[in-house]
Amino acid sequence: MTVHLIKLAAGSTGLESTLRWQKTLLQRNKGTALDGKLHHITRMMPRRVDDILDGGSLYWVMTGQVLMRQPIIGIDEIQTDEGRKCCLIFEPDPTLVVPALRKPFQGWRYLEPKDAPRDLDGAPDAEDLPIRAELAELGLL
């Protein structure tokens, strides 16, 4: 049964800054095994990996609101200087969602599909994302 993850975009000042960070990450991943994909390293490995990989997405919380999601396409355990970590691999193209308020929390949490914010109608063009992000942050979308 599909389940999603929800995570704070730590250090983000909103959708536009998160998208800029992800663009930088895509550039760094060129020529690596993650070429064309995004990743995020987190301390804890989910127990429900199969459920997440069965159509789950990573929902991002920015400035106290869930604003977008990205399909998770892989979950790997990696070894770092700090020990074993979880590497979430997700699609680079975001889907904006109807903004939903969310209080701060640490790490990631499971998000059941019934509790996930619905996608905004229509897929915005890349040039529309900054204005839509600003409207969402103002609570107008």
Side-chain angles (χ1 to χ4, degrees):
M1 176 170 36
T2 301
V3 68
H4 306 292
L5 295 179
I6 186 167
K7 177 150 186 36
L8 291 179
S12 171
T13 58
L15 187 57
E16 202 168 342
S17 75
T18 300
L19 294 174
R20 275 195 313 271
W21 166 73
Q22 290 189 353
K23 187 176 180 182
T24 300
L25 190 57
L26 277 173
Q27 291 296 323
R28 284 188 203 155
N29 286 345
K30 280 192 177 179
T32 72
L34 293 171
D35 196 345
K37 300 176 187 101
L38 290 170
H39 73 284
H40 184 77
I41 308 296
T42 187
R43 189 169 58 92
M44 301 300 293
M45 183 70 137
R47 290 192 178 120
R48 299 176 66 184
V49 170
D50 291 339
D51 292 338
I52 295 166
L53 294 176
D54 184 29
S57 288
L58 181 57
Y59 282 77
W60 290 101
V61 179
M62 297 159 248
T63 62
Q65 297 180 81
V66 181
L67 296 176
M68 72 177 198
R69 70 176 181 84
Q70 291 168 290
I72 297 172
I73 57 173
I75 300 175
D76 293 325
E77 190 171 68
I78 61 169
Q79 183 67 38
T80 71
D81 295 340
E82 300 169 350
R84 294 164 64 147
K85 305 273 181 163
C86 173
C87 180
L88 301 172
I89 303 165
F90 49 96
E91 292 288 346
D93 297 323
T95 299
L96 298 180
V97 299
V98 174
L101 295 176
R102 191 69 178 218
K103 292 181 181 178
F105 58 92
Q106 289 189 336
W108 52 262
R109 301 284 185 270
Y110 291 113
L111 180 65
E112 296 297 329
K114 66 179 177 54
D115 299 323
R118 67 176 175 79
D119 293 351
L120 280 175
D121 294 332
D125 293 325
E127 60 269 5
D128 291 342
L129 284 175
I131 189 66
R132 291 186 74 131
E134 191 171 332
L135 291 171
E137 288 172 18
L138 294 170
L140 299 173
L141 279 182

